[in-house]
Amino acid sequence: MRITRGIASLTVAGLALAGLAACSSDDSDKDSSSILATDSAEETTEASDEPTEEPSEEATEDESEEATDEPSDDSGDAAASGDSPSWAVPTTTPGEKLATIEGTNFTVDVYQVATATASKTGQFVDPDTNLPLIAEGDEIVYVNYVFTNTGSEDIPLSYSLVSVSAEYADWPYLQGMDSIVDSAQFEEMGVTSSAIATGTGEEAPFVWAPGQTFSYGQNFKYQAGSPITFDATLTPADDAGELVHDERQEASVDATIS
């Protein structure tokens, strides 16, 4: 029988879970491709005693202008390009893909990036031993999440975007898994801790168009060969950027940390 225990929180001002910087708890809170098909028709002419009438230069220029003025069906199609939204940092995809979380209108590709040495202690301690769950020098693993809108409509998001939590099958505590905050190490891993770009001037709701992607990652203690579950929660926002809890959806996937 699995027994869960509580975790005492270390008193460290200003720290937040690294992988959840863009995705706090839900309470605080994908691919249309455009295919341009052109029908071709083969023209045949019959022999005639009468001379063929050559089109005038004026008519040719008019037809050319008409063709140029026609808008392209795939212009501005984010689904075809997989671009990141204007409010997001560029999507990164380092590491090896472990699994994909599939929601109703979105997916989350989960990548195991690499291991590293914890440069500082984590944020929680074991209440029985009073020792940190992640101590400086412990081996940690970085994972990266790539989010794609696979629906046919825009998804308005709050500052929580889409939250993802990871938990080993043998995790003994009630709280989520611990992590460290080290921006330099995140950069070294090619992973961003927050998907929302700074300096854009944009505010919630953040519009996530069909086919667009964004990414962020997190770290936690490394346990090679351990089964793990990744849970994703998407709660869309209204016009004011507030969460619409009635439309909340959750999805998960099981994987193994290698």
Side-chain angles (χ1 to χ4, degrees), residues 76-93 144-149 154 157 161 192 194-197 200 202 206-216:
D77 189 350
S81 64
D83 290 337
S84 298
S86 59
W87 48 262
V89 297
T91 298
T92 62
T93 58
N144 191 47
Y145 307 124
V146 178
F147 304 81
T148 305
N149 178 345
D154 291 348
L157 299 172
L161 301 183
T192 179
S194 172
I196 300 176
T200 64
E202 296 191 49
F206 300 103
V207 177
W208 186 19
Q212 287 186 330
T213 67
F214 62 88
S215 66
Y216 68 81

Side-chain angles (χ1 to χ4, degrees), residues 16-163:
L17 288 179
L20 303 180
C23 309
S24 57
S25 69
D26 192 58
D27 291 334
S28 69
D29 356 308
K30 249 180 150 243
D31 138 39
S32 68
S33 31
S34 174
I35 302 176
L36 181 60
T38 305
D39 295 333
S40 61
E42 182 179 330
E43 292 187 353
T44 59
T45 58
E46 295 182 3
S48 172
D49 292 335
E50 296 186 9
T52 303
E53 184 177 347
E54 293 291 334
S56 68
E57 290 183 8
E58 184 178 346
T60 303
E61 289 174 359
D62 290 343
E63 290 173 6
S64 175
E65 287 177 4
E66 273 185 34
T68 303
D69 291 339
E70 283 296 321
S72 172
D73 288 347
D74 61 356
S75 60
D77 189 350
S81 64
D83 290 337
S84 298
S86 59
W87 48 262
V89 297
T91 298
T92 62
T93 58
E96 179 182 353
K97 187 160 74 171
L98 294 179
T100 299
I101 305 171
E102 297 187 0
T104 302
N105 54 354
F106 75 98
T107 61
V108 185
D109 291 323
V110 181
Y111 293 83
Q112 181 173 333
V113 181
T115 59
T117 300
S119 58
K120 58 187 74 176
T121 59
Q123 301 164 85
F124 300 116
V125 298
D126 186 309
D128 296 331
T129 65
N130 206 37
L131 296 174
L133 299 184
I134 296 180
E136 184 176 348
D138 283 350
E139 191 172 17
I140 59 176
V141 61
Y142 276 80
V143 294
N144 191 47
Y145 307 124
V146 178
F147 304 81
T148 305
N149 178 345
T150 57
S152 58
E153 298 180 354
D154 291 348
I155 302 175
L157 299 172
S158 71
Y159 284 94
S160 299
L161 301 183
V162 182
S163 64

